[in-house]
Amino acid sequence: MPTDPTTAGADPGDGSTAYRSGFACLVGRPNAGKSTLTNALVGSKVAITSSKPQTTRHTIRGIRTTDHAQLVLVDTPGLHRPRSLLGQRLNDLVRETLLGVDVIGFCLPSDQRIGPGDTFIAGDLLDLHRVRRVPVVAIATKADAVSRDRLAEHLVAIDQLGDWSEIIPCSAVSGEQVEEVAEVLAAHLPESPPLYPADQLTDEPAVVMIAELVREAALEGVRDELPHSLAVQVEEIVPREDRPDDDPMSDVRVNVFVERPSQKAIIIGRGGSRLREVGTTARRGIEKVLGHRVYLDLHVKVAKDWQRDPKQLDRLGF
């Protein structure tokens, strides 16, 4: 039986249930709302969110700390049937991540019917549960996007898809049931002191978060073929030596890689207008990450068929 989330980790000083701490992984097919839910649970933007599917490349760990539990959230790319070497490596990354967590949240968007992709993932998760007994919580994401009748129908379909530890609907956008999702996931964590300092929100290095912010800005408003074809690499972050201590500034040089010259033209835009928009949007997020002003130097380069080339994949960090 699943643990009652209302008793998951009472104050460790009161002699009742001990503090709980551990790792939770959110999985689901591309664009299932995993990154948005991670950000809602943590209360800060730590994972890339885009209207384009398959935008999360690195496992971003968001950390949620309360008086009762510490939930370390591992956000992954969407599991899918791979069509390229990059796709296979992303799937391998997800499966490797699943082997090291205490509870899994399976995200199934309420505004989409259960499909072959969900069935594919459900089979993987049920196999993992049989081997390692990792609890799987089914989360009906984007609950605000549908009617109550459609949501009820979706929850029934999720129940028929597999034997889940819990099923819970939520909306990361409106905040509905986000706290309840956190409590349900925390209830399945082992008893343990906190793994990270209470004020830490992620263990991702700044360079990874900067690359993700640039990638997110570059993906917005472009055609569907770009998400898989776009990679970002931070070349260097150089503090300016002539700045006063109370007003530091850094030069951040970033390369954006695409596979074809036509895609480079899309990213740059007419007269460089779109690249300037990308830079302005990304710079705001980067300044929050670094805590001071930055000069962002963006370059768009063509790396032909990089997602099918093992050497280029290695060079770009995949």
Side-chain angles (χ1 to χ4, degrees), residues 275-291:
L275 189 61
R276 283 193 293 274
E277 290 177 11
V278 170
T280 299
T281 301
R283 189 180 68 247
R284 285 195 289 264
I286 293 169
E287 288 178 341
K288 288 182 180 179
V289 169
L290 296 181

Side-chain angles (χ1 to χ4, degrees), residues 38-257:
T38 294
N39 292 330
L41 288 166
V42 176
S44 180
K45 189 161 191 170
V46 294
I48 180 174
T49 57
S50 171
S51 57
K52 303 295 180 192
Q54 198 55 38
T55 53
T56 308
R57 291 279 174 83
H58 296 276
T59 54
I60 307 290
R61 291 176 171 81
I63 304 166
R64 176 191 174 94
T65 304
T66 69
D67 291 340
H68 312 304
Q70 185 176 80
L71 186 65
V72 184
L73 289 148
V74 184
D75 189 48
T76 65
L79 264 172
H80 62 291
R81 295 186 185 278
R83 298 182 199 148
S84 66
L85 181 57
L86 172 63
Q88 183 59 57
R89 288 196 182 183
L90 292 176
N91 272 4
D92 291 344
L93 176 67
V94 176
R95 292 191 175 96
E96 182 181 332
T97 300
L98 294 180
L99 292 172
V101 300
D102 302 296
V103 58
I104 296 168
F106 181 16
C107 296
L108 299 117
S110 302
D111 60 347
Q112 299 172 43
R113 303 279 177 183
I114 301 292
D118 299 309
T119 305
F120 172 74
I121 298 167
D124 265 13
L125 294 179
L126 293 171
D127 285 345
L128 181 71
H129 180 69
R130 279 192 288 270
V131 173
R132 287 204 59 240
R133 310 304 297 171
V134 179
V136 180
V137 175
I139 305 171
T141 56
K142 307 184 184 183
D144 62 313
V146 297
S147 67
R148 293 179 68 86
D149 287 346
R150 169 70 190 106
L151 180 59
E153 181 184 333
H154 187 57
L155 293 173
V156 170
I158 290 173
D159 185 47
Q160 294 172 345
L161 189 61
D163 184 16
W164 315 115
S165 300
E166 317 242 6
I167 301 173
I168 183 168
C170 77
S171 167
V173 173
S174 71
E176 182 183 0
Q177 293 255 108
V178 169
E179 292 299 315
E180 287 78 0
V181 169
E183 290 174 359
V184 167
L185 293 174
H188 293 284
L189 301 179
E191 294 182 2
S192 164
L195 302 171
Y196 294 90
D199 60 350
Q200 189 168 339
L201 296 179
T202 179
D203 71 350
E204 282 295 331
V207 67
V208 173
M209 296 188 72
I210 289 170
E212 292 291 274
L213 286 165
V214 172
R215 190 162 186 271
E216 176 178 33
L219 284 173
E220 281 308 311
V222 297
R223 291 209 293 266
D224 290 342
E225 73 267 21
L226 277 184
H228 297 282
S229 306
L230 191 145
V232 177
Q233 189 174 55
V234 178
E235 190 172 304
E236 59 180 356
I237 304 172
V238 182
R240 291 196 180 177
E241 296 180 358
D242 58 346
R243 302 293 299 182
D245 291 341
D246 61 350
D247 187 21
M249 187 172 183
S250 293
D251 291 301
V252 179
R253 296 184 178 87
V254 178
N255 295 320
V256 177
F257 292 93

Side-chain angles (χ1 to χ4, degrees), residues 83-86 259 304-310 313:
R83 298 182 199 148
S84 66
L85 181 57
L86 172 63
E259 292 192 303
K304 187 178 179 182
D305 295 329
W306 66 262
Q307 63 176 318
R308 293 175 175 80
D309 183 336
L313 281 171

Side-chain angles (χ1 to χ4, degrees), residues 9-18 68:
D11 186 334
D14 67 5
S16 58
T17 308
H68 312 304

